[in-house]
Amino acid sequence: MKKNLEAEAEAEKILLTNYEKYYRLAYSYVNNEQDALDIVQESAYKVMKDISKVREPDYLSTWIYRVVMNTAVDFLRKRQKESIGLEGVEISHEDVYHEDDPMELLKSLEEKDRTIVVLKVIEELKLEEIAVVLDLNVNTVKARLYRALKKLRIELKSEMS
């Protein structure tokens, strides 16, 4: 019981300390302020509810990142299912990037690559930490990061032309 209370206190501390990081991560998925806030709130609830499932306290912080990412992905899947009802409706969409919003440029990346870029560049996690969060090999993380950064450079060059 005492151990569980300590874990809850530590999780609460991490959640409060890193709230803005979790928000930025969620925002990188949904590109909407209110949805990102909802995702962080839902993630915090899940963390506190499932804190007893964490076996290794040293990985609590990376586990919370994973909860936020999974919650964001679940949110996107749910939104996609809801939008299937609009299949017959044609919505015109033009890819236009705004120089002042780097998050717009990140939309050109696949979800898994965007996550790695956000965790490395915005959240400043080490490659080893990203590998733990995403449950990937460090070399896989490196390869995806460099491939994504190369794609972003190409996008930037073509936009400036």
Side-chain angles (χ1 to χ4, degrees):
M1 181 72 168
K2 183 180 179 185
K3 201 174 204 179
N4 197 31
L5 289 176
E6 289 174 7
E8 285 178 10
E10 183 64 23
E12 187 176 343
K13 178 182 167 189
I14 291 171
L15 284 166
L16 291 172
T17 303
N18 298 308
Y19 185 86
E20 289 182 21
K21 289 182 178 185
Y22 301 138
Y23 169 79
R24 287 191 304 263
L25 180 60
Y27 188 88
S28 74
Y29 279 88
V30 295
N31 297 304
N32 179 292
E33 184 179 332
Q34 192 58 50
D35 291 342
L37 290 170
D38 290 345
I39 288 168
V40 174
Q41 283 298 111
E42 177 70 19
S43 299
Y45 169 75
K46 288 178 180 180
V47 165
M48 297 311 287
K49 184 179 80 136
D50 296 335
I51 191 69
S52 61
K53 294 180 182 177
V54 177
R55 292 187 180 96
E56 186 60 50
D58 292 341
Y59 295 117
L60 184 58
S61 182
T62 54
W63 178 71
I64 294 172
Y65 268 110
R66 195 161 181 92
V67 170
V68 174
M69 289 175 6
N70 289 338
T71 304
V73 169
D74 290 345
F75 176 87
L76 291 173
R77 285 186 187 134
K78 183 179 175 186
R79 183 195 298 164
Q80 187 175 16
K81 284 181 184 176
E82 290 172 355
S83 69
I84 289 176
L86 299 174
E87 261 182 54
V89 179
E90 190 174 319
I91 301 172
S92 64
H93 173 59
E94 186 177 326
D95 281 334
V96 177
Y97 298 115
H98 305 284
E99 283 182 30
D100 57 343
D101 189 3
M103 299 308 278
E104 286 294 318
L105 187 59
L106 287 176
K107 286 182 186 178
S108 67
L109 297 175
E110 291 180 32
E111 181 181 301
K112 60 186 178 185
D113 295 338
R114 181 175 59 235
T115 300
I116 291 172
V117 171
V118 167
L119 291 175
K120 178 64 180 159
V121 177
I122 297 174
E123 300 306 325
E124 299 178 348
L125 293 182
K126 295 177 183 168
L127 293 174
E128 294 79 13
E129 293 172 318
I130 297 169
V132 171
V133 168
L134 300 176
D135 195 26
L136 295 171
N137 181 299
V138 175
N139 289 330
T140 303
V141 171
K142 284 181 193 176
R144 287 184 181 172
L145 175 65
Y146 295 121
R147 183 183 62 225
L149 292 175
K150 183 177 180 180
K151 183 175 181 179
L152 288 174
R153 274 189 225 103
I154 291 169
E155 291 283 333
L156 277 172
K157 282 182 183 177
S158 68
E159 192 168 300
M160 295 182 142
S161 309

